Amino acid sequence: MNPPVEEIPPPATVPELVLEAGRSDSHYWRDLWRYRELLGFLAWRDIKVRYKQTVLGVAWALVQPLITMVLFTFVFGKLAGMPSGGVPYPLVVLAGLLPWQLFSAAFSGSSGSLVSNANLVSKIYFPRLVVPLSALAVALVDFGIVVALYGVVSAWFGVWPTWRVALLPVFMFVALLIALGAGLWLTALTVRYRDFRFIVPFLLQVGVFVTPVGYRTDNLPNWRELLALNPLTGVVDAFRWCLLGDGVQFKLQLFGTSLLVALLLLATGLWYFRKTERTFADAI
Amino acid sequence: MSDTVITVENVSKRYHLGMVRHDTLRDRLTHAMRAPLNRLRGVVEPDPTEFWALRDINFEVKRGEVLGIIGRNGAGKSTLLKILSRITEPTTGRIRIRGRVASLLEVGTGFHPELSGRENIFLNGAILGMSRAEIRRKFDEIVAFAEVERFLDTPVKHYSSGMYVRLAFAVAAHLEPEILIVDEVLAVGDAAFQQKCLGRMQTVAHDGRTILFVSHNMDAMLHLCTHGILIEGGRIKSRGEPAAIVPVYLNTGMNHGTYEAQLDKGHGILRVTTELPTEARPDLVFVVMFRSEKRLNRPTLGVVVHSVAGAPLFGSNSLFHPWSGTTGPTAGGTAIVTFKEVPLWNGSYRASFWLSDDRRPVDALTDAVTFEVSSRHLPLGAPPPKEIGSVHVRGEWRIT
């Protein structure tokens, strides 16, 4: 809770705020914490507004993964004849779609977040990180809906979760970190160069195939190292390990590589975002 | 109570004009290719896109002062407020601030049309820096101030513009920072609501809070402010008591009867030059530069002049006052509209513009420019424009 304004001590004891070129740093992380309510409100606004004036409403969050599941099962399972490793193929796909949907919603949300909140950025001060972070929160809500869908489909096929499912939040968190890292890069770049707006849908289009969403990595041992450079590969694999039972091995090396790439992406993303942050209001 | 809460030292702000609108990657690449070539040839290209919005600004504000900042459009007032509210940082110089700052550069920042009045109060409050508990505590007060009780659960897109503005201001008016930074928001709503806003500002000021206040409303300036700063061309031209500053400002208006407003919001209407009426030539002229991505078969421009209170006074468009000369299909151009012997008293006015292709709207800019008429003094004994109205129509009196 923020202290009520009335109780703020008289100015003599309020720390002095110094504004000068290249110096907005000192209170940044504390400010970010102070503005956590704004983060919540922005996420709440986006969720609230999303399904206004739609007939199907929240059902839209289900339609997309369901259709993708059917399509990928047909293309990869039936046409390409990829082995499913003893698990119903629709479940293989859906377990891969879970992290992919989380990532793609969080990534596309955060990468467009600054420009779509341009009116706020140019009129109000707040730590700009609030905006892409709130986009992650929005993605989490949709994720919750898809998880429920997975639960239903999984029960339908008679596959029950084991203790491993308890580790799912960890991998979910990693998926969000990847989305944030990539999102920070793109949202900061889009403020300056609107060109990057066109890159996001393209990346997602390619990404769904480069990431093993529709197939399992067990079947492509030669490609695995290359695929691991895409940090989502490790996450998708880990999701399947959590959800699909004993038929799936946890590939530590693969996940480690992915985690490393993810952290690198996040660190550089944060660096670039913070570096360009103070010119956002001028450039947006 | 005389401790300094804001110290501004040698603050300057430089913009690159290319930065004002987003440059594309291609621009950057061509520039990067050309720069080393020019260096080889020994050509030093002066940077034509560089522009100093503020130059060596120095001032102090003590606790409890109400500082009015005046100046023409483009003088740098808004840039100064943006720096003080931490939206952008100064290029050089330093500012020290003691106390919690709330800034209000626009009414209703972050309002979402799809959300209800109630939801927007919370959202807007959070955006302005209030905590949820604080908003909840002041909720009823805000609603009562805005006079929107009955429509609390209606999406604000169905609000009339008056209601919208009242609600937005009400949220802002209940901020309780130690330092309040306000840009031109008083000139909203009808006259009664404006009066209410001014009253609210006065209470805030009497509470010993510090206010920085930018306005074109000289009346508010004189009544509210304890100190004033006049900015011209990015520099402080004059400072002191409002009663001393305001005449200086109005006089500069008489010397340079023309000023330009570059409209970075417009996508069709780009620039408006206003030529103010003077004693010698009592015409009001707007020169409007416009452009359109699609060719305009029948370019049509319109203008409405409002009082600062928002009441429309007069207007014209090229449909009912047709163009002279050919206007054929065009992608852009410069339009000039002259209002002959415009009968306005001294005071502030706003003008809104729109551009359309025949009747298909292309761009509309509400309150694109604010201007000051300063050449027409009321005759001795005349009531002020606030009472008699801002339009001067001569009455011929006789007794039979």
Side-chain angles (χ1 to χ4, degrees), chain A residues 31 87-88 98 128 153 228 240 254 270:
Chain A
D31 269 5
V87 185
L98 274 180
R128 306 307 187 201
V153 177
R240 292 219 172 95
L254 185 89
L270 258 179

Side-chain angles (χ1 to χ4, degrees), chain A residues 191-192 194 279-284, chain B residues 19-23:
Chain A
V191 169
R192 274 309 278 277
R194 297 296 148 104
T279 59
F280 283 169
D282 299 332
I284 207 160
Chain B
M19 237 165 82
V20 175
R21 305 298 310 149
H22 44 266
D23 38 8

Side-chain angles (χ1 to χ4, degrees), chain B residues 57-68:
Chain B
I57 301 289
N58 283 285
F59 64 87
E60 277 190 357
V61 186
K62 303 225 188 304
R63 184 125 77 103
E65 277 185 11
V66 181
L67 177 72

